[in-house]
Amino acid sequence: MAETPIKARKRLDLKTPSKPLSSPSFLPPQTPNTQTPSRHFIPPSIESTPTRRSSRRLSLHSDDLNLTPEKPIKQTTPKTLAKSPKTPKSTRKSKLSSTQTEKVSTQEPIHPKSPALSEKRKRKSGDGLGNAVKTRARAQNVPKKRVYYKKVVFDGCEFVVGDDVYVKRRENASSDDEDPEVEECRVCFRGGRGLMIECDDCLGGFHLKCLKPPLKEVPEDDWTCGFCEAKKLGKEVQLPMPPKGKKRARTLREKLLSSDLWAARIESIWKEVDRTYWFRAHWYMIPEETAAGRQPHNLRRELYRTNDFADAEANDPLSLLLQMESVIRHCYVMSPKEFAKARNEGDDVFFCEYEYDIRWHSFRDSQRSMMKKSDDDDDSASDEDWKSTKDPVSESEEDTDFEDEIEKKKPRGPSSQELAANSRKGRIFGLQKIGTKSIPKHVRCHKQTELERAKQTLLLATLPKSLPCRDKEMEEISTFIKGAICDDQCLGRCLYIHGVPGTGKTMSVLAVMRSLKSELDSGSIKPYSFVEINGLKLATAENIYRVIYEALSGHRVSWKKALHFLNERFSEGKQVGKGVNKPCILLIDELDLLVTRNQSVLYNILDWPTRPNSKLIVIGIANTMDLPEKLLPRISSRMGIHRLCFGPYTYQQLQEIIMSRLKGIDAFDKQAVEFASRKVAAISGDARRALEICRRAAEIADYRVKNQSSPADTTSVGKTNVGMTDVEAAIQEMFQAPHIQVIRNSSKMGKIFLAGMVHELYKTGMAETTFEKLAFAVSCFCTSNGEQFPGCDTLLRVGCKLGECRIIICEPGSRHRLQKLQLNFPSDDVAFALKDCQELPWLAKYL
Amino acid sequence: MASFDDNTQFVIGMLRECGLAHKTIIIVLDEFHRFAQGKQRLLYSLLDAMQSVTSQAVVIGISCRLDADQLLEKRVRSRLSHRKLLFCPPSKEELDRLLECLLSLPVSSSLPQSYIVEFNKELRKILADKKFKDTIDTLLSSDSTVDQILRFLFLSVSSMDLKTGILSVENFMTAVVRMNRQPKLECTKDCSILELYILVCMKRLEMREQVSYNFNSIMKEYKAIHDSFQTPDYYARNVCIRAFEHLLQCELISFMDNRRNNQSIEFRPVKLLISPYELHQGLKLNQSCPTILQKLMDQIGKRS
């Protein structure tokens, strides 16, 4: 049965202590209580510049900030670090602050081809969405398409693909003006001034001296504030109220954890045509937002990575948030390993170990994938950057940061990305980044000719706008499906679709499903689930259970288990996953591949629809008409009742299909299309073949036109359409058998050899001959016509060469004299090819 | 290990992304016909991806078989675009160009200039030579592929006189002899007298239309020859069996069936692998061949 979220959490619970403690630094078990950031804030000696957190806004105008206070911090921290390595460290400092200025000035284009790779933009502090107009005005050379970037400097802050950022929630966009840089003490409500300590429970900051009793120094292990301790003991606690008139400013971290903000990981950044910046991101979720809610084992700073791809293209109301404008600044979401190593990242450090599946409300250990990601991403929180800071030689912070910067700029080339597909178990990460490469200009500027457009639309990959000629069949499919799912009972049904390849079977079913989807969206039919499986893409036939179960529940289990669950669902009506069982439409392409020796897979799948309450509709597609008859009677009786045949297209239909694709493009003569479709209809009625012929014809025509126009530009503009001759040439090319040409081009001995074969065939009337007989015939030929007989061994080699390209079929050459030979092509073809050979005119008399 | 399904997904995802990025992918399937075995899952997935994903990808299949596309299943063949490109052996003119191009030294090499000039001059002389042309013709009459030409040229150049460093026609002529060796004939030439006896005996048995014979019947025939012609060479049975084994190793004879049953070799039926013509030639070339054997072979030749 599907694991409910609660269960899943429990499992995680158990797992937590036995987490892969690979490095010795993992020593403290990861329960929330032991997890102690022993944070202390050292007061700057003279100025009141806040050290704990620095914002990029502040730092922009206070360059002196990075001069003073860091050094002592650096020296003090290592002691504590050595003892409790797991905690994110106190003297966190937003890295951005000190490096800001350098970054802006040392922008380095990554892709030299794109017009402006890392663009700088400025935004007046605070006014979020209002400046899109301004940027539009700044447009220099407007690219026609999206431009992808790896790195964008936006509002003076650099965002790299793979960074984690805070994102505004639209509804409280107003409250983001206040972005307090310093956390205030919970007691005196003033920032700065004196060492602060963070409570491990409520994450509140406290001045050491404000505490009762005041602490002299920061304790090494966990520390919880008095309020929290009191709360734990069940006492009523009155938190000190802020002085009147002063609203307690909240940091971004607090806002995030109270779900007023969002955190997201940028997956790709691009600039739209209208010069607005967009990005695609993975959301992070706080535990409260998950279906399970906050669990006791959740850390305060824990987030869940979701599989929710917030996508601007999906027309959801959230998509506005994906403009770059809604990004506030960086935060750092780390895997447990990184989190353990992290020291002074500032307040914006979060911890993420599990991935949350928003669709199925299940949790998955995302550690593996996160690690992988952070390895090859230029994640600002990646280990590399910290190695230099860990250096015992204490330098001033500025230097270190500068070095980090240099390191970062080193091209992290293929070395980090040369991962075999297998090492990721076939899962795909970071593919979006491939798209960040720009398109060469000459390609973009090129204006397509009619012929090129024709070629484009004739591509098999381009989805046609309409699907002509299969209306009747599509109608039948859609009534079948609707009849099945709109029924209150929802009795299971089964449909078998057959037809030769290239007659639009799969495409029709998918088109019907698309239209059903739109009906579902408009609410006229009840929800259903649709599972599409291709028999040829399954590793084994039994794997189909696994695939179905995964599609229905989101869990990956072994096929035996999946079969068990599916049996429960379909025959006993138990629930899979959450919610009521929706009717399920199962499309199985290439059904004949599921035929196993005892045919149990097919039997199971076709048996489920007959059970009451199964709500399963099976649509099977295969090429052979008589597949049900070939199967066991108990299966064919279940499958063979409702059938639909897709006959080969007639030439009119093919013509219509081609013309509908070419609508609005004046490139083909009508007769040419008709000729092609007649030809294909006569042979196979395969629409793919017809389209392919037309495309080839267009290519030939294109080539011809280009050749013509180069010597005499003006004169021969006349005929640019694809005519009969081009189609003829394409058909010739496609249907010609190359063997005649090969025979004509074979060596002299090869020709004599073949002539001998034909001669033997005529003489004996038997297709098969042996090498001994043939060698005798060939030697006769040679002696009587003044050719030199090269010897049996050479002749044998010649024969084997011919056998290699399958002009003749022969046994292995080691059989020598006894080797059996046979022509692979009609003897007439061979005779025809050899008849008018200039090299050996005498061959003709033996043929 | 990722499953096939996962990998297919990965490849398709990759193709899609690369298509978006306007990156071209060329997938070359060498020995294409070997992919057409079994369920042709790979070909199906690849070709299906070619037409279901907008990608800039090409699948190129390379095969020496002319009927490679006939091996495909119907559903796979329908997805193939049926564009064929045939590579034929070079024609006469192309061959001349190829030879000159391959053999002449490039002018801008590190070798001394005078040597290059002399070498190329001599080469042009050779290329125009009638004898050279005849050599090339004999070579190409059996096999005119580029591969064969390259092997031939390598052999010729490696037999070049290192003192002068200049190619000569003789180099090419020795090379062509080395290319057109007749292994079976040479094998017979090197056979011992006893082995020749065995071969002739086998031939005689075959002449008497004995379809199946084994070592024992050969020994009987051998004894018969010995008795009727009083030959001086008569060897013991265990010596004969060793000669017989040697012939098997040379592949001048072979067992009729390939089944490895535990019959000892004396009882397994055997077959002669060389033709009577070759055997005759071999006997003539073999210096130590007894005259009686040649006589017997002449008899056989006459009778047939």
Side-chain angles (χ1 to χ4, degrees):
Chain A
M1 213 37 237
E3 281 174 280
T4 57
I6 306 295
K7 256 179 153 177
R9 299 303 301 154
K10 270 183 193 148
R11 197 194 57 204
L12 295 186
D13 241 353
L14 293 173
K15 267 172 81 182
T16 333
S18 62
K19 227 163 263 171
L21 303 172
S22 50
S23 69
S25 68
F26 255 111
L27 285 172
Q30 245 177 336
T31 48
N33 299 340
T34 49
Q35 234 279 326
T36 4
S38 59
R39 232 206 240 170
H40 35 201
F41 306 116
I42 291 174
S45 46
I46 311 150
E47 321 131 288
S48 63
T49 328
T51 53
R52 188 173 163 204
R53 275 156 220 139
S54 49
S55 87
R56 72 204 138 96
R57 215 180 299 149
L58 245 176
S59 61
L60 270 178
H61 46 77
S62 63
D63 274 355
D64 54 340
L65 174 115
N66 36 29
L67 295 178
T68 37
E70 270 80 0
K71 209 161 179 175
I73 298 170
K74 281 249 59 154
Q75 286 161 339
T76 50
T77 38
K79 285 176 213 153
T80 38
L81 285 181
K83 280 164 197 162
S84 59
K86 192 160 182 348
T87 49
K89 284 310 165 295
S90 54
T91 53
R92 293 183 190 138
K93 179 181 87 74
S94 162
K95 282 161 53 71
L96 291 170
S97 63
S98 57
T99 57
Q100 190 98 71
T101 35
E102 288 112 44
K103 261 183 202 167
V104 174
S105 52
T106 55
Q107 269 317 314
E108 206 176 78
I110 302 165
H111 298 300
K113 268 189 205 156
S114 76
L117 280 151
S118 29
E119 299 205 352
K120 299 170 203 171
R121 292 192 51 191
K122 266 185 200 148
R123 166 170 71 176
K124 267 185 196 161
S125 58
D127 69 324
L129 301 161
N131 60 352
V133 190
K134 217 168 36 173
T135 42
R136 215 167 287 151
R138 300 236 258 83
Q140 318 107 333
N141 54 337
V142 186
K144 293 232 169 49
K145 284 185 187 159
R146 282 179 183 182
V147 185
Y148 282 88
Y149 297 103
K150 237 188 191 151
K151 186 153 70 163
V152 163
V153 175
F154 193 86
D155 190 24
C157 182
E158 181 184 81
F159 294 103
V160 183
V161 171
D163 274 358
D164 303 308
V165 287
Y166 287 117
V167 181
K168 266 180 236 167
R169 281 200 171 187
R170 200 158 39 137
E171 53 261 40
N172 44 339
S174 58
S175 68
D176 69 309
D177 296 346
E178 26 134 352
D179 178 9
E181 300 320 327
V182 204
E183 191 176 340
E184 293 155 342
C185 170
R186 287 288 175 90
V187 183
C188 64
F189 293 99
R190 264 171 296 169
R193 286 280 162 83
L195 196 59
M196 280 177 90
I197 184 165
E198 184 182 80
C199 169
D200 287 321
D201 220 3
C202 59
L203 297 183
F206 297 89
H207 283 133
L208 286 185
K209 59 180 190 239
C210 292
L211 289 169
K212 287 169 209 159
L215 286 173
K216 281 269 157 50
E217 56 188 16
V218 175
E220 266 155 26
D221 41 314
D222 298 354
W223 178 84
T224 38
C225 64
F227 306 113
C228 294
E229 265 168 12
K231 248 189 226 167
K232 265 188 204 159
L233 296 172
K235 284 181 209 160
E236 274 290 301
V237 189
Q238 185 78 48
L239 277 166
M241 291 300 286
K244 270 224 165 138
K246 194 182 171 193
K247 209 176 109 207
R248 212 176 70 77
R250 296 186 304 167
T251 58
L252 291 179
R253 186 261 306 156
E254 277 175 273
K255 281 185 198 164
L256 174 71
L257 292 182
S258 56
S259 67
D260 287 339
L261 279 178
W262 271 323
R265 162 162 294 191
I266 300 176
E267 297 292 344
S268 59
I269 309 174
W270 69 88
K271 185 165 69 179
E272 271 298 344
V273 186
D274 59 355
R275 319 229 6 117
T276 47
Y277 286 76
W278 295 80
F279 69 97
R280 210 169 120 99
H282 268 302
W283 294 121
Y284 288 105
M285 255 189 186
I286 57 171
E288 281 85 350
E289 288 173 325
T290 62
R294 177 171 281 280
Q295 299 288 316
H297 57 77
N298 285 135
L299 304 179
R300 291 304 306 181
R301 287 176 184 272
E302 183 157 347
L303 294 177
Y304 290 115
R305 203 169 105 94
T306 64
N307 60 351
D308 184 13
F309 240 126
D311 200 332
E313 274 142 321
N315 267 337
D316 60 346
L318 308 178
S319 59
L320 240 190
L321 289 164
L322 297 170
Q323 290 205 6
M324 264 330 247
E325 259 106 32
S326 56
V327 173
I328 299 175
R329 65 168 159 150
H330 281 283
C331 59
Y332 304 98
V333 181
M334 298 173 172
S335 64
K337 212 170 168 185
E338 290 162 344
F339 194 65
K341 280 183 201 156
R343 289 179 189 188
N344 46 359
E345 275 287 347
D347 190 32
D348 307 319
V349 174
F350 300 96
F351 170 83
C352 173
E353 189 180 12
Y354 294 99
E355 205 174 283
Y356 179 66
D357 190 321
I358 47 157
R359 207 166 136 227
W360 305 107
H361 307 295
S362 60
F363 296 86
R364 192 187 312 169
D365 189 355
S366 74
Q367 195 180 12
R368 205 105 147 282
S369 61
M370 291 285 287
M371 293 292 211
K372 273 268 152 44
K373 265 186 99 61
S374 59
D375 279 348
D376 40 33
D377 281 0
D378 327 31
D379 198 338
S380 53
S382 75
D383 308 349
E384 198 177 324
D385 294 346
W386 292 106
K387 268 171 203 146
S388 55
T389 19
K390 250 182 254 164
D391 224 350
V393 185
S394 84
E395 309 163 74
S396 83
E397 194 69 34
E398 189 173 353
D399 289 351
T400 346
D401 268 348
F402 190 68
E403 274 179 15
D404 288 357
E405 191 53 30
I406 290 166
E407 256 182 42
K408 233 185 260 173
K409 272 182 198 144
K410 271 184 218 153
R412 291 193 194 182
S415 61
S416 61
Q417 300 189 340
E418 272 175 354
L419 282 163
N422 262 340
S423 70
R424 294 174 165 186
K425 285 206 158 187
R427 288 168 66 188
I428 306 158
F429 300 109
L431 259 187
Q432 290 77 22
K433 271 190 268 173
I434 294 174
T436 50
K437 189 171 176 187
S438 67
I439 307 148
K441 223 175 199 166
H442 65 271
V443 176
R444 260 186 289 153
C445 297
H446 182 65
K447 195 177 171 296
Q448 283 187 319
T449 63
E450 290 278 291
L451 274 175
E452 274 160 357
R453 274 171 58 207
K455 270 193 274 178
Q456 186 77 38
T457 52
L458 286 174
L459 261 181
L460 288 168
T462 38
L463 201 69
K465 289 180 204 86
S466 63
L467 302 167
C469 306
R470 286 296 179 209
D471 300 328
K472 216 183 87 218
E473 283 86 353
M474 275 162 68
E475 183 64 31
E476 198 165 324
I477 297 169
S478 91
T479 47
F480 168 80
I481 296 175
K482 273 188 204 160
I485 56 174
C486 294
D487 213 359
D488 278 339
Q489 277 291 302
C490 190
L491 290 171
R493 293 191 193 188
C494 180
L495 174 68
Y496 177 60
I497 299 174
H498 61 91
V500 291
T503 47
K505 298 180 295 291
T506 312
M507 196 177 59
S508 301
V509 176
L510 291 179
V512 168
M513 291 318 292
R514 271 197 299 275
S515 72
L516 273 185
K517 180 115 198 321
S518 62
E519 275 183 52
L520 176 71
D521 291 342
S522 66
S524 56
I525 54 169
K526 275 187 250 171
Y528 60 87
S529 43
F530 174 54
V531 184
E532 187 192 349
I533 297 165
N534 192 323
L536 251 183
K537 289 175 183 169
L538 295 169
T540 62
E542 281 83 14
N543 258 358
I544 193 170
Y545 303 129
R546 228 184 74 172
V547 177
I548 297 173
Y549 187 69
E550 195 182 344
L552 289 179
S553 70
H555 294 289
R556 275 191 171 208
V557 292
S558 74
W559 69 262
K560 278 183 184 148
K561 228 174 176 181
L563 172 64
H564 175 70
F565 288 141
L566 288 173
N567 257 332
E568 274 183 352
R569 182 206 201 271
F570 291 124
S571 11
E572 289 154 38
K574 270 200 192 171
Q575 284 182 3
V576 166
K578 288 205 127 193
V580 213
N581 279 344
K582 289 185 270 184
C584 172
I585 300 168
L586 186 62
L587 170 65
I588 306 173
D589 213 340
E590 316 293 356
L591 188 70
D592 48 331
L593 264 295
L594 294 185
V595 180
T596 47
R597 186 168 295 166
N598 58 6
Q599 307 184 0
S600 63
V601 175
L602 263 186
Y603 178 76
N604 275 331
I605 286 170
L606 296 170
D607 189 40
W608 289 329
T610 62
R611 301 297 175 87
N613 300 325
S614 67
K615 298 186 182 180
L616 178 69
I617 299 143
V618 178
I619 302 174
I621 299 179
N623 292 334
T624 45
M625 198 196 302
D626 56 345
L627 180 69
E629 279 71 43
K630 282 189 217 155
L631 301 173
L632 296 176
R634 55 180 177 163
I635 297 174
S636 60
S637 79
R638 283 171 170 83
M639 182 167 79
I641 301 162
H642 203 135
R643 296 194 204 186
L644 184 60
C645 176
F646 277 65
Y649 287 114
T650 61
Y651 81 92
Q652 291 103 331
Q653 287 175 322
L654 284 175
Q655 206 176 338
E656 200 183 329
I657 290 168
I658 298 168
M659 288 320 272
S660 79
R661 281 197 180 219
L662 289 173
K663 201 173 273 173
I665 302 167
D666 179 35
F668 273 74
D669 286 348
K670 204 156 186 305
Q671 298 107 308
V673 175
E674 188 182 336
F675 179 51
S677 36
R678 270 182 193 273
K679 188 84 190 175
V680 174
I683 293 169
S684 58
D686 186 338
R688 289 194 192 108
R689 190 66 79 85
L691 291 171
E692 207 44 59
I693 286 180
C694 287
R695 195 158 69 91
R696 180 66 193 147
E699 266 170 33
I700 292 172
D702 199 16
Y703 183 71
R704 187 193 49 170
V705 168
K706 268 179 197 147
N707 267 10
Q708 265 174 16
S709 58
S710 49
D713 270 338
T714 47
T715 50
S716 60
V717 197
K719 200 170 163 287
T720 52
N721 268 17
V722 181
M724 288 291 267
T725 46
D726 302 313
V727 174
E728 178 90 58
I731 289 174
Q732 271 294 319
E733 216 177 85
M734 232 164 253
F735 291 109
Q736 56 123 354
H739 60 271
I740 301 222
Q741 218 180 333
V742 171
I743 291 171
R744 282 196 178 141
N745 278 302
S746 58
S747 62
K748 200 157 72 181
M749 275 329 287
K751 283 174 188 163
I752 300 174
F753 190 96
L754 287 171
M757 292 279 298
V758 176
H759 185 71
E760 279 293 305
L761 176 72
Y762 287 162
K763 208 173 74 184
T764 60
M766 298 225 284
E768 207 176 80
T769 181
T770 59
F771 179 74
E772 188 178 18
K773 285 185 201 157
L774 186 98
F776 182 70
V778 169
S779 67
C780 286
F781 284 7
C782 287
T783 43
S784 57
N785 292 290
E787 285 286 336
Q788 197 204 344
F789 182 66
C792 284
D793 290 304
T794 315
L795 197 66
L796 185 75
R797 218 162 51 219
V798 171
C800 289
K801 277 261 151 97
L802 289 173
E804 240 168 48
C805 54
R806 287 295 190 279
I807 290 176
I808 61 171
I809 301 168
C810 62
E811 285 184 314
S814 61
R815 303 270 295 149
H816 204 81
R817 189 171 71 108
L818 308 169
Q819 185 191 32
K820 285 181 186 138
L821 305 163
Q822 192 181 345
L823 279 173
N824 195 24
F825 292 100
S827 60
D828 293 340
D829 282 14
V830 180
F832 169 76
L834 294 176
K835 217 151 228 169
D836 42 356
C837 171
Q838 274 136 32
E839 209 179 355
L840 302 159
W842 52 267
L843 273 184
K845 67 183 172 194
Y846 294 101
L847 298 166
Chain B
M1 268 298 284
S3 73
F4 182 86
D5 199 24
D6 288 336
N7 280 334
T8 316
Q9 294 249 306
F10 174 80
V11 168
I12 288 171
M14 214 46 153
L15 285 174
R16 186 175 292 123
E17 291 298 333
C18 289
L20 288 177
H22 296 262
K23 273 183 190 159
T24 309
I25 300 177
I26 300 171
I27 301 165
V28 179
L29 305 178
D30 206 348
E31 306 294 346
F32 180 73
H33 51 273
R34 307 292 282 185
F35 290 95
Q37 286 168 343
K39 285 186 177 168
Q40 311 184 348
R41 219 174 243 136
L42 174 98
L43 280 180
Y44 181 86
S45 309
L46 260 186
L47 296 178
D48 203 45
M50 286 301 115
Q51 49 184 260
S52 52
V53 183
T54 341
S55 57
Q56 296 183 351
V58 200
V59 176
I60 299 174
I62 301 172
S63 172
C64 61
R65 289 182 63 163
L66 288 177
D67 59 346
D69 58 333
Q70 303 299 314
L71 298 173
L72 300 176
E73 271 187 64
K74 254 197 292 175
R75 53 181 152 228
V76 182
R77 210 185 309 159
S78 163
R79 285 166 170 81
L80 191 76
S81 70
H82 288 272
R83 304 207 173 168
K84 282 175 237 161
L85 209 58
L86 193 65
F87 279 73
C88 284
S91 68
K92 272 259 175 336
E93 298 77 44
E94 285 169 336
L95 183 75
D96 289 341
R97 282 223 320 274
L98 186 71
L99 282 176
E100 180 159 0
C101 194
L102 286 172
L103 285 173
S104 57
L105 286 177
V107 181
S108 57
S109 65
S110 56
L111 295 165
Q113 198 63 34
S114 58
Y115 171 69
I116 293 171
V117 170
E118 198 191 348
F119 184 90
N120 286 345
K121 202 181 83 193
E122 205 58 33
L123 179 73
R124 245 168 275 132
K125 231 186 270 170
I126 291 170
L127 289 176
D129 196 339
K130 175 95 186 19
K131 259 199 280 179
F132 174 77
K133 281 185 175 159
D134 287 345
T135 342
I136 289 285
D137 277 347
T138 41
L139 174 83
L140 298 183
S141 70
S142 63
D143 186 357
S144 52
T145 55
V146 176
D147 181 46
Q148 170 93 345
I149 294 164
L150 286 179
R151 260 184 298 145
F152 164 70
L153 292 184
F154 180 75
L155 270 182
S156 337
V157 172
S158 42
S159 66
M160 182 170 70
D161 186 5
L162 289 178
K163 270 183 201 138
T164 56
I166 304 287
L167 282 169
S168 66
V169 185
E170 281 69 40
N171 297 147
F172 293 98
M173 282 159 80
T174 49
V176 93
V177 170
R178 281 166 74 186
M179 295 285 287
N180 285 331
R181 299 276 290 263
Q182 307 286 323
K184 290 269 146 73
L185 202 61
E186 281 163 37
C187 236
T188 2
K189 207 171 77 183
D190 297 337
C191 277
S192 67
I193 294 166
L194 179 57
E195 283 160 4
L196 290 176
Y197 266 107
I198 291 173
L199 289 175
V200 171
C201 287
M202 286 174 81
K203 187 63 219 164
R204 274 168 69 92
L205 284 171
E206 264 180 30
M207 283 313 293
R208 266 185 258 140
E209 310 210 339
Q210 216 162 324
V211 191
S212 165
Y213 49 88
N214 57 17
F215 179 71
N216 284 337
S217 38
I218 293 165
M219 280 328 285
K220 226 181 264 171
E221 180 67 24
Y222 176 52
K223 191 142 196 319
I225 291 174
H226 175 71
D227 289 345
S228 50
F229 298 98
Q230 291 302 320
T231 50
D233 324 286
Y234 189 74
Y235 299 96
R237 189 183 163 86
N238 54 354
V239 181
C240 289
I241 215 162
R242 213 173 297 154
F244 185 72
E245 276 168 353
H246 183 241
L247 284 176
L248 275 174
Q249 277 163 6
C250 294
E251 289 200 324
L252 287 172
I253 60 174
S254 76
F255 292 119
M256 291 268 274
D257 48 354
N258 291 322
R259 287 193 303 275
R260 275 212 170 269
N261 40 17
N262 31 11
Q263 252 182 332
S264 63
I265 49 169
E266 291 128 276
F267 300 103
R268 289 178 71 180
V270 284
K271 269 275 183 189
L272 202 57
L273 274 188
I274 53 168
S275 58
Y277 171 76
E278 280 173 297
L279 183 55
H280 206 164
Q281 290 290 310
L283 289 183
K284 272 184 205 158
L285 290 173
N286 198 323
Q287 266 121 34
S288 56
C289 176
T291 43
I292 177 68
L293 283 181
Q294 295 211 15
K295 240 185 250 169
L296 284 173
M297 270 319 279
D298 287 341
Q299 268 177 28
I300 291 166
K302 259 175 235 155
R303 235 187 290 166
S304 66

